[in-house]
Every structure is written in structure tokens, then in C-alpha cells.
Amino acid sequence: MSVPGHTDVLIVGGGVAGCAIAYHLAKIGITDVVLCERKLLTCGTTWHAAGLVTQLRATRNMTELAKYTGELFSDLEAETGQATGYKKNGSLRLAKTEARLEELKRGVSMARLFGLDADVISPDEVKERWPLAETNDLTGAIWMPNDGQVNPSDVTMAMAKGARASGVNIFENTRVERILVEGGRAVGAITQAGDIRASKVVIAGGMWSRELAAEIGVSLPLHAAEHFYVVTEPIRDLPANLPVMFLGDECSYYKEDAGKLLLGCFEPHAKPWGHKGIPEDFCFDSLPEDFEHFEPILEMAIKRVPTLSKTGIQLFFNGPESFTPDDRYLLGETPEIKDLYCACGFNSVGILSSGGVGKALAAWIRDGYPPFELADVDIRRMQPFQANKRYLYDRTKETLGLLFQMHWPYRQYETARGVRRSPFHDRLLKTGAFMTEAAGFERPGFFILDGGDNEIKYSYGKQSWFDVCARECLHTTHAVSLFDQSGFSKFRVEGRDACKILNTICANDIDVESGRLVYSQCLNENGGIEADLTVTRLQENAFLIVSIGTSQTRDLGWFRRHIPDTAHAVITDMTSGLPMLALMGPDSRALLEKVSGESLSNEVFPFGSSRELEIGYARVRATRVTYVGELGWEIYIPAEFSQYVFDELIEAGSEYQLGHAGYFAINSLRMEKGYRHWGHDIGEEDTPIEAGLEFAVAYDKPEGFIGQKALIAKRAQKPSTKRLVQVRLACDEPQPFLYHDEPILREGKIVGSITSGAYGHRLNASLGMGYIQSKDGINKSYVDSGNFEVEVACERYPVDVQFAPFFDPANTRIKH
């Protein structure tokens, strides 16, 4: 069968994701769609998926996508006439330890933000719902009645049928050999049945996606791994409505399967597969059995469900599924090529995510931007190097198992480490740095005291580094500390049109004199915050942009796509070549004056200014700004001089008790000051008005800026119905720690949630930031007159709430 010569949207891949996208495109009226599957629908990973349909995920937005999937599956069979095997039999998540129970209870509190039914139950209640299970060693569990299971192949066929009924063309046995790219845009594909021109192209090819994308210079970091489960022989009188049961402490899950039990696992040390390529004829294939690898799981399962000891195994299955470096799937428009979208790397949650993914990506394709905040899964969070095959092979050994391991706050990856290192790396290790990782960058989390632990002992409360972090925070407050912030993203924009273009992209006015720094956001057309950054004018036609390290790919892509082809301006990524040290604390001025030989008084070097200084034999750029709420400078150093400058600062710093501090201290210090973090406290759905950042908006710029109209319209609606607030626990010690997605209540009703949190050592209190909402508007009176609480692990605690930061709200410390 020949393929059409042109289509609006071409989808590559006929698994559950590809069919869900086609189905939802048709739902919103985009029916000129072609889906090409290399073999037969579902033949890669979908057909052998366990088919679990659970809703509670690690983050709010991923939970929202999974929640919609369950709702879709409830009605899909009636709509299409295609059986799906969907049944709402509920799920149990069991805990053997108090820590696991707290993790589950925190999930229950998050579930209440969007009306998910979730209840904490006792071991006896687990026994009532799952009589075959041993429950004497459990500490508790949670019950989610609206979870269930589905037949993966059938539900995929139902969505394919629904798409076809609306006019979508689905071609099986039609391999896409290469994506066509012209002028930086995807324009179609070469298939074995002919060329197809397309306005948009979607890669939903599962474990084949990485190689297909790599051929055109696109990074899709994913790697296949072996995934094991067994299906027993029929078990007499096995209840057909038995809930799905998860036991993370034993790496296992159980579900009823046509009178049999399916036992699957996510073992701690996984087996990557397909590293040297996937066989061309791979179709409905399984991988060789490895009973020795599965045996430890089975031994625990026999103790948990004793009937397994006298039940035979009918099927031992091993099939590949694809995993990403952070266990979150890859979704959205690729930063490298316009009009090329992806939906892949589903980390064994493809079935339960498919409906939400299909709906979200269909809207993204139609509108050109995501329908809501999707930073958790946005492909732009990834770094290009993360598609490195060896990196993926090593990381995949860990990420499969992490699905069922404890989701500790601040948990660090153990595999594929040491990839990106600042020039100060070895020196910092000798000083006692415990390295953490973000976007592959090794950076100090904290500095180990003599005789201290060189590993993290995880907890939902005070972790092993708590006292060390307190020391670093207080030393920064009373003396001076050095922070390695080389992992921050740094871009240089220059050309005669640079100022004009940046002033259009940025909400604040960056047309300032040379040597001045401007804090700004980049907004989308709806007024939402796409990037949070500083812009320093170096010269008339040259600017330095600095943003967080995890947004490097995203922010660079945003600027590149908004610099017109005809403009005389170019952006260059300087991240690797411009390491940065931050010198922070009340003694930072004296130390920097000593090494530079210059006066750095307020009159000579005011807050927000930037200029070159000499440190020893080197020239550096020093910018007076802070992310920790103390007097300080960011020092940008050409890479070849960086170690020399570091040594000069350390040598001179002994007179001022110069100390080292890490990123855990930064998080605590910035929380006390209410400094926002993109991806947590601000994002695509949050406007500067709602985020309390309107001071960084220049409404009266003659040339205007992206998002200006939407922001002006929002500004006219006073007071705002949504606002970011600062939260401080008002209860006695020990105070629970806030992390993210804890409900905020006013007069006993949920009005918002925490976006990020930390313990404030300068204030001796547990702190958080979060948005609250009210249809009648939020102003100071609304905040001051309310009785506020936060819910942590199903317990409520009183909190103080205000707009201003709790530490130094007048900014006297940073401007003195």
C-alpha cells in the first residue's frame, strides 16, 4: 500500500503512545494524520506491558496525566466498540518501614490536591482486600480505589480504531527510514513505501527512537532494559477483582490475570539491552530467560504470598522496555529541530501515561506550546551528552530499579557520574566536597567535616548533612563562603541588533548602560514564565545571559528560536568556557578588595553592577548580585585562568576565614529570601504577577515584549486570583520538612500547594514557597486574616504565610 504524499501530522510508531496521539489529534479536529508502524501495532513494548493503570505518580503534573488516562480508559470501550479489558479493581501500595509509609502518606496528601481517592489503611485492612498476602510485617499501606488494569494491546487497538474512524491513516509494515529536515524544520520522512511530506512529525518509536533521532542530530536519551515477570498456573478461587498490589520494599508488583497471578519486578540492578542495536526483525519477541536474576524477587514473593510455593509457573517472561536517565519520559518539541515532536522513553509507565500524553501532545502540536506545565517530562530538560550510549547503558542499570526504590528528597544517582566537572573539581574534593549532580554537572552538595560521613543517610527529616549545611549557612551569614556555580548556564549574545532583540524576548528593560545587570524573565504569549535569568550588558552590542544549569538546553533553544534569521545577532553557549565562583558573605568585599587591589564600596561598585577586575595575573568579570541573600559577587573566569584564580582566593581568604559551601546551603539560604527557582516555584503557567515578580517587568517598553498583551490583561484583573506566598511552620520542634506538593489549607480548605521547601538555618524554621488561589482574589488582607495550615503525610500543621521573605525583607544585607 502506498502512503500519501502529504499529511498534516506524521507519527512514527504504532505503540500505545503513537496511537494515543493519533486518537487525540482526531478528537481536536486534526484528522489529516498518518501513523507509520515498522511492523505491526503494539509489536515493540506495548504488547507485553503489564497493563497497570495507576494514577499516583511522583509529581503533580505526571499524576494529572495518569489520572486522565484512567478516565479515558473507563469510557473507551463504549465509545469505540473495541474491548479494552479495563477494570477498576483498585490498587494497594504496601509499606514495610516507617520511612516507606511516610513516603506513601505524603503521596496521599498530594493526591488530595486534585481529588484523587486515596486512603491510608492498616495491615489488617490490606489482608481483607488481599487475603493471599502475609501482612504481619507491614507498617501500613494506602488504598486507591480508582486504579485498575487493562489489556495493553486491546486498549491500543481501541484508540487506533477511534483514530481511523475519524479519518486517520494507519500504515503497518511501513518503516520510516529517515526524518526529512529542511531549514531547521522537520518536513516529513522517507519510508519504505515512499516519501511523505508533513507539517509536523512525531517520533513515538519506543526503543528505536534514539537511533532514528540521532541520524538527524537530535538527542533523545533512552536505552532499553530487560523487564521480567512471571505468570502462574491458574489458582483456584483466585478473586477476579483482586486489587493490583505494589510492594516497593520488595521491588515487586502483583496483579490478577485471568485466574492467574502475574508477579513483576523492578530489581535494583537492571540489565540493559540492545546496546549494540536492536535486531531489524524484532517483532512480538521476548528475550532469553534469566531465572537466576529473577530468583531473589521470587524468594521474597513466596514469603509474601505463600500460595506461590505450591503454584507452578506457566510463563517466565522477559521483554525490553526503554528507560531515560531520570526515569521521566521524553515529551514535546525537540530543541534542535522545529516541528519535530517526541513521545518516548516511558520507563514502564507508558500504558498508564498514554492517554494524558496523547491529549497533551495533541494540544501542543495544534497550538505550538504545551497546554499546561510539563517541565517534568519536557525533552528540553535533557542535555545532548545524555544520549551517549555508554552513559545510557550505565545509568539504565540503576533507573529501572529506582521506580520502586524510596523516592528520598535529595536522592543522588550513583551510576554514570563524574561526566561534567568544573575546573575546581579536584581541589574541592580535597577540601571535603560531597559531590551531587544536576544535568550531569558535578557540584558540591556540602563539605564534609573532619571525620564526617562521606555519604548521605537519607530521610524525610534531618538528613546526615543537616548540621554541616547549618554550619555553611551561618558561616556565609557571619563571614564569607565560596560557592562553585560553574554549572550555571551562560550565553553571550552580540551583534548590532542584540539589544533590540533581547528587549523583545525579555520582560524587563535590558537597554541599560554597559556594566549593569538586569534581572528578568522570558515569557510566552500567555504571560507564563519560560526562563528566569540575569542579563548583563558587557558592551553596547554584547550581553551575558546567566540562568540555572538544568535549563541550559531549554533556554538556549528559546533564544535561538526567537532571534530572527534576518537579525544581526548571534547567541553562543559559554557555559563550558566560563566557570563561575560566587563569593558571598559580609567579608566578601574585604577579601575581593584584597585580591584585586581596588575599592569595591557601594559608591564605586553598587548592587547590580558588573565590571572586570584583576585578580593576581588574571582578569575576571565580577558582578555584584546574590542568590543567597548576603553581600557578594559572582566571579566569571575564562577557563584557562580559573584554577589560578581559585588558588589566589583561597590563599588570600585565610585572613577572613574563607569557607566553602555547597548547593544544599544555597537552597536553604535562597528559601529564606524567597528567591524563586524555575521549574519549581515559577514556570510556564505562572505569570510574574502571580509569582510576585512584577518588579522585573517593564510594561512601558516602546517596542513591547513577548507576552506583554496577556500580562496587561492579567494586570487589569485585580486582585490576582493566584499568588506565590512564603510559608513558615509555626509549630514546635521537631518540625516536618516541606519539599513539594504539600497542600496549603486556609480555614480547613485546600487553597494551594507547596512548590519547594527547605529548612532555614538563619531562622530555625521549616520553610516553603507555594501558590494559593481564590476566585475572589488574593491580597494582603486575605493572607493576614486567614488561618493557614500545611498537610504533611496526612497530618496538618499551622503555618505563617506572607508575601515578603521571612529573612531580611528590606534587602539591607545585600546592599550595604
Side-chain angles (χ1 to χ4, degrees), residues 562-748:
H562 288 87
I563 297 176
D565 294 338
T566 57
H568 192 278
V570 63
I571 184 168
T572 305
D573 189 346
M574 303 292 291
T575 303
S576 298
L578 198 61
M580 188 261 278
L581 294 170
L583 200 62
M584 297 288 153
D587 292 336
S588 59
R589 174 181 283 121
L591 174 52
L592 198 53
E593 285 181 333
K594 178 178 181 179
V595 295
S596 68
E598 297 194 33
S599 171
L600 304 177
S601 65
N602 264 329
E603 293 73 24
V604 175
F605 208 137
F607 183 80
S609 58
S610 176
R611 64 185 175 91
E612 290 189 342
L613 295 177
E614 293 181 356
I615 296 181
Y617 303 139
R619 290 187 67 81
V620 303
R621 172 164 293 278
T623 301
R624 190 173 163 194
V625 68
T626 181
Y627 194 51
V628 300
E630 298 290 346
L631 171 72
W633 280 262
E634 293 178 349
I635 304 171
Y636 297 88
I637 317 163
E640 68 269 29
F641 298 106
S642 56
Q643 292 182 353
Y644 169 80
V645 170
F646 180 92
D647 294 342
E648 288 285 304
L649 289 170
I650 296 299
E651 182 179 354
S654 60
E655 179 182 343
Y656 303 93
Q657 290 79 50
L658 176 64
H660 291 281
Y663 274 79
F664 292 167
I666 291 177
N667 192 45
S668 171
L669 294 164
R670 70 101 183 169
M671 188 64 58
E672 293 172 319
K673 282 293 295 175
Y675 292 150
R676 284 68 162 156
H677 187 280
W678 193 93
H680 291 93
D681 312 305
I682 50 178
E684 301 164 59
E685 289 187 291
D686 311 312
T687 69
I689 298 170
E690 297 161 340
L693 297 174
E694 205 170 4
F695 66 89
V697 178
Y699 282 100
D700 57 352
K701 283 194 293 185
E703 63 273 26
F705 56 90
I706 298 170
Q708 182 184 40
K709 291 181 180 179
L711 214 55
I712 290 173
K714 178 77 71 172
R715 194 185 197 191
Q717 303 169 9
K718 292 186 176 181
S720 176
T721 58
K722 169 185 168 185
R723 278 297 304 270
L724 186 74
V725 294
Q726 311 299 312
V727 175
R728 178 175 62 188
L729 265 76
C731 56
D732 295 332
E733 296 284 352
Q735 295 180 345
F737 289 1
L738 305 177
Y739 296 109
H740 60 82
D741 292 325
E742 293 90 353
I744 301 173
L745 302 96
R746 185 180 187 272
E747 312 301 341

Side-chain angles (χ1 to χ4, degrees), residues 409-410 460-463 465-467 469-474 663-673 727-739 756-769 806-807:
Y410 305 101
Y460 276 100
K462 294 181 179 180
Q463 298 196 2
W465 46 265
F466 182 84
D467 291 337
C469 181
R471 177 183 60 84
E472 294 175 8
C473 291
L474 296 178
Y663 274 79
F664 292 167
I666 291 177
N667 192 45
S668 171
L669 294 164
R670 70 101 183 169
M671 188 64 58
E672 293 172 319
K673 282 293 295 175
V727 175
R728 178 175 62 188
L729 265 76
C731 56
D732 295 332
E733 296 284 352
Q735 295 180 345
F737 289 1
L738 305 177
Y739 296 109
S756 64
Y759 192 86
H761 295 283
R762 292 179 293 195
L763 297 168
N764 291 318
S766 185
L767 306 173
M769 274 186 271
F806 286 103
F807 183 81

Side-chain angles (χ1 to χ4, degrees), residues 524-573:
N524 54 42
E525 294 291 353
N526 295 321
I529 300 172
E530 292 285 342
D532 182 61
L533 41 81
T534 61
V535 182
T536 301
R537 192 166 199 168
L538 307 176
Q539 302 163 8
E540 181 181 358
N541 295 324
F543 298 81
L544 177 66
I545 298 170
V546 179
S547 67
I548 59 173
T550 51
S551 290
Q552 183 179 0
T553 301
R554 178 192 183 92
D555 291 351
L556 182 61
W558 182 265
F559 278 98
R560 281 179 170 165
R561 292 197 176 178
H562 288 87
I563 297 176
D565 294 338
T566 57
H568 192 278
V570 63
I571 184 168
T572 305
D573 189 346

Side-chain angles (χ1 to χ4, degrees), residues 54-55 62-72 114-116 352:
T54 58
Q55 300 172 80
M62 292 182 73
T63 301
E64 291 275 23
L65 294 176
K67 180 175 181 283
Y68 168 76
T69 301
E71 295 166 353
L72 172 68
F114 25 84
L116 277 183
L352 65 90

Side-chain angles (χ1 to χ4, degrees), residues 92-164:
L92 292 163
R93 297 178 185 271
L94 279 51
K96 293 175 63 176
T97 67
E98 290 297 331
R100 177 70 75 173
L101 185 59
E102 177 168 357
E103 176 187 77
L104 295 176
K105 290 166 71 175
R106 282 176 175 263
V108 170
S109 290
M110 181 180 72
R112 291 173 181 162
L113 294 173
F114 25 84
L116 277 183
D117 286 335
D119 297 302
V120 181
I121 63 173
S122 68
D124 289 343
E125 291 173 300
V126 172
K127 189 74 172 179
E128 292 174 5
R129 291 171 170 81
W130 234 93
L132 298 178
E134 288 294 325
T135 61
N136 292 335
D137 61 340
L138 300 180
T139 58
I142 64 171
W143 162 246
M144 302 198 68
N146 292 323
D147 285 351
Q149 60 194 69
V150 73
N151 184 303
S153 293
D154 287 347
V155 80
T156 304
M157 293 301 183
M159 287 189 286
K161 184 177 180 180
R164 284 189 176 110

Side-chain angles (χ1 to χ4, degrees), residues 70-375:
E71 295 166 353
L72 172 68
F73 289 175
S74 297
D75 302 325
L76 194 58
E77 183 171 334
E79 175 193 340
T80 64
Q82 166 72 45
T84 63
Y86 177 70
K87 60 179 180 179
K88 191 183 293 185
N89 49 333
S91 75
L92 292 163
R93 297 178 185 271
L94 279 51
K96 293 175 63 176
T97 67
E98 290 297 331
R100 177 70 75 173
L101 185 59
E102 177 168 357
E103 176 187 77
L104 295 176
K105 290 166 71 175
R106 282 176 175 263
V108 170
S109 290
M110 181 180 72
R112 291 173 181 162
L113 294 173
F114 25 84
L116 277 183
D117 286 335
D119 297 302
V120 181
I121 63 173
S122 68
D124 289 343
E125 291 173 300
V126 172
K127 189 74 172 179
E128 292 174 5
R129 291 171 170 81
W130 234 93
L132 298 178
E134 288 294 325
T135 61
N136 292 335
D137 61 340
L138 300 180
T139 58
I142 64 171
W143 162 246
M144 302 198 68
N146 292 323
D147 285 351
Q149 60 194 69
V150 73
N151 184 303
S153 293
D154 287 347
V155 80
T156 304
M157 293 301 183
M159 287 189 286
K161 184 177 180 180
R164 284 189 176 110
S166 297
V168 171
N169 288 305
I170 296 178
F171 295 89
E172 296 179 292
N173 295 304
T174 306
R175 185 180 69 254
V176 170
E177 298 173 345
R178 186 177 179 86
I179 306 294
L180 293 173
V181 179
E182 296 175 0
R185 293 175 177 267
V187 296
I190 300 171
T191 82
Q192 65 186 99
D195 294 357
I196 305 176
R197 305 288 292 188
S199 302
K200 316 272 183 173
V201 179
V202 182
I203 297 178
M207 55 191 170
W208 288 271
S209 299
R210 177 194 173 277
E211 296 297 334
L212 181 64
E215 291 180 354
I216 53 173
V218 171
S219 173
L220 295 182
L222 56 84
H223 197 292
E226 300 182 26
H227 179 51
F228 301 88
Y229 61 74
V230 298
V231 179
T232 69
E233 293 178 344
I235 298 175
R236 189 170 183 176
D237 298 326
L238 185 70
N241 64 341
L242 202 65
V244 179
M245 184 169 73
F246 298 92
L247 191 48
D249 296 319
E250 294 177 359
C251 313
S252 58
Y253 62 90
Y254 303 78
K255 78 160 190 172
E256 186 275 335
D257 185 14
K260 298 162 278 189
L261 271 183
L262 183 151
L263 163 66
C265 72
F266 291 95
E267 68 279 16
H269 304 289
K271 296 178 66 178
W273 180 80
H275 187 61
K276 296 183 179 179
I278 301 170
E280 178 59 35
D281 59 352
F282 193 91
C283 179
F284 296 113
D285 291 327
S286 59
L287 306 179
E289 295 182 3
D290 188 345
F291 189 80
E292 183 178 351
H293 186 80
F294 189 78
E295 190 173 15
I297 304 297
L298 186 58
E299 289 176 355
M300 289 187 287
I302 289 172
K303 295 178 181 178
R304 181 62 53 197
V305 183
T307 192
L308 291 176
S309 65
K310 53 183 183 288
T311 305
I313 294 176
Q314 186 178 88
L315 171 67
F316 185 106
F317 187 82
N318 178 13
E321 299 192 18
S322 59
F323 292 81
T324 64
D326 61 1
D327 264 341
R328 290 177 274 144
Y329 42 86
L330 310 177
L331 190 68
E333 188 176 20
T334 66
E336 299 94 341
I337 295 177
K338 193 167 178 57
D339 296 329
L340 178 64
Y341 294 79
C342 66
C344 51
F346 282 100
N347 308 284
S348 287
V349 297
I351 302 300
L352 65 90
S353 303
S354 59
V357 164
K359 183 178 182 180
L361 195 62
W364 199 334
I365 290 169
R366 177 193 62 197
D367 302 331
Y369 53 85
F372 51 86
E373 175 74 61
L374 288 169

